[in-house]
């Protein structure tokens, strides 16, 4: 396998992984920031020191809540673009 093919394959793999994480409501950086699961809200933050960059409510939200917010934002953006194009 050539070097460019391998690079393209890795890039596609990372892109797929990012899309799956986005749609399923998981952390996009791949690190766990709380003990939350897809169905259950988190009760504590993880890491030392606890990640201060992430918002508390976002880090403790269940995966389905994050997925709903992300997909709603995408739907609103697509709808807004559609309205602008239609005008």
């Amino acid at each position: 396998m050539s070097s460019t093919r391998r690079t393209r394959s890795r890039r596609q793999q990372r892109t797929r992984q990012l899309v799956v994480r986005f749609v399923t409501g998981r952390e996009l950086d791949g690190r766990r920031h709380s003990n939350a699961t897809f169905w259950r809200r988190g009760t504590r933050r993880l890491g030392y020191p606890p990640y201060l960059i992430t918002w508390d409510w976002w880090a403790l939200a269940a995966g389905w809540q994050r997925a709903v917010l992300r997909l709603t934002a995408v739907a609103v953006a697509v709808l807004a673009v559609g309205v602008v194009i239609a005008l």
Side-chain angles (χ1 to χ4, degrees):
M1 188 182 300
S2 70
S3 174
T4 55
R5 252 181 158 178
R6 197 174 307 125
T7 303
R8 190 178 325 133
S9 176
R10 286 183 191 153
R11 194 176 317 132
Q12 289 172 348
Q13 170 97 17
R14 287 184 193 139
T15 303
R16 273 188 243 124
Q17 191 177 41
L18 187 64
V19 168
V20 168
R21 285 180 181 162
F22 184 86
V23 171
T24 58
R26 293 172 52 200
E27 292 83 358
L28 298 179
D29 60 1
R31 290 189 262 168
R32 295 197 60 190
H33 297 283
S34 71
N35 63 344
T37 63
F38 186 78
W39 294 112
R40 194 172 45 87
R41 181 170 172 74
T43 56
R44 64 185 177 92
R45 310 270 305 261
L46 300 177
Y48 182 79
Y51 293 100
L52 300 176
I53 296 171
T54 58
W55 296 312
D56 190 37
W57 61 270
W58 184 258
L60 294 177
W64 70 268
Q65 293 169 327
R66 282 186 248 144
V68 166
L69 286 173
R70 288 175 180 169
L71 296 177
T72 301
V74 169
V76 167
V78 167
L79 186 64
V81 168
V83 167
V84 168
I85 289 174
L87 294 178

